[in-house]
Amino acid sequence: MDLREAAIRNNVTWCATVAGAPGTIDDANGFWLLDTAPPPLFPDLVTLRPGVAPDDVAQALTGRDRCSVKDSFADVDMTAHGFAVAFEAQWIGRAPRSSGSVSRGWFVARDAEQLASWNRASGLPSPLPDHLLDDAGTAVVVFGSADRITAGAVVTRGADVAGLSNVFDHGDQVTTSTWRDLLAVADLLCPGLPVVDYEHGVDLATALAAGLRTTGPLRVWVRPH
């Protein structure tokens, strides 16, 4: 299995799940396009293979003044079409393992009140929607208690991997111990599946220290108006 390609497909599953819309995969041009406006911090379009043509991406986004592109292989230069780089990151992953020990205090959000607490603790600009609670492939995981959450993430099953996303910790960075716990949680929720994610900056360093490895670069482009 190519962990980067699986991570990309898993990320598309996560984006579509949050948006509540499947989007469209354009195999000819090599990208996935959300047919409606995405939630804040989520992309309008995700490239699915290397070598996607910038002109094809721009054409697909005609009429969308504010939009973003997840350039999954960091090889699509959108500068000429009015986009700027928001950030660069690395896809990361790890082969499946038997679930290790998980620190006491981790649980899966099961109701709207717990999800609301997770949303407040995460600091996201827009809350994750309640319909995630009914999605069999999604687990919003929490560390702490309903009234005092100190860490969390989302685990998405899809593309034969367990995808971590929206990882947060009580400090300014996610600690290596939290990453280790989350890897064990993902192994427990999705036994036998590799774990994937993407990160940058200090959180990338602590994720690698916890046993994940880089599988390739990505870049996010935004057109602000």
Side-chain angles (χ1 to χ4, degrees), residues 15 19 32 34 36-45 64 66-68:
C15 293
W32 169 85
L34 189 60
T36 185
L41 302 184
F42 284 82
D44 295 75
L45 184 148
R64 304 191 192 199
R66 297 184 180 183
C67 53
S68 63

Side-chain angles (χ1 to χ4, degrees), residues 1 15 24 75 86 88 156:
M1 173 187 289
C15 293
T24 300
D75 66 349
E88 297 181 338
T156 300

Side-chain angles (χ1 to χ4, degrees), residues 199-212:
E199 293 293 340
H200 62 99
V202 176
D203 288 345
L204 173 61
T206 54
L208 297 180
L212 290 149

Side-chain angles (χ1 to χ4, degrees), residues 61-163:
L61 295 172
T62 299
R64 304 191 192 199
D65 292 334
R66 297 184 180 183
C67 53
S68 63
V69 173
K70 186 167 287 175
D71 175 8
S72 300
F73 295 85
D75 66 349
V76 182
D77 188 348
M78 296 298 298
T79 307
H81 297 284
F83 286 77
V85 176
F87 65 89
E88 297 181 338
Q90 289 282 332
W91 296 106
I92 54 180
R94 192 209 66 185
R97 295 182 185 175
S98 299
S99 181
S101 61
V102 179
S103 299
R104 294 183 64 180
W106 286 98
F107 64 97
V108 175
R110 299 296 185 190
D111 57 41
E113 182 178 353
Q114 291 176 347
L115 179 58
S117 296
W118 186 100
N119 280 319
R120 288 192 295 271
S122 72
L124 289 175
S126 180
L128 295 182
D130 286 354
H131 70 248
L132 296 181
L133 297 169
D134 299 319
D135 185 81
T138 303
V140 179
V141 296
V142 179
F143 183 78
S145 59
D147 58 351
R148 189 177 181 273
I149 292 172
T150 59
V154 177
V155 180
T156 300
R157 182 192 292 263
D160 295 322
V161 293

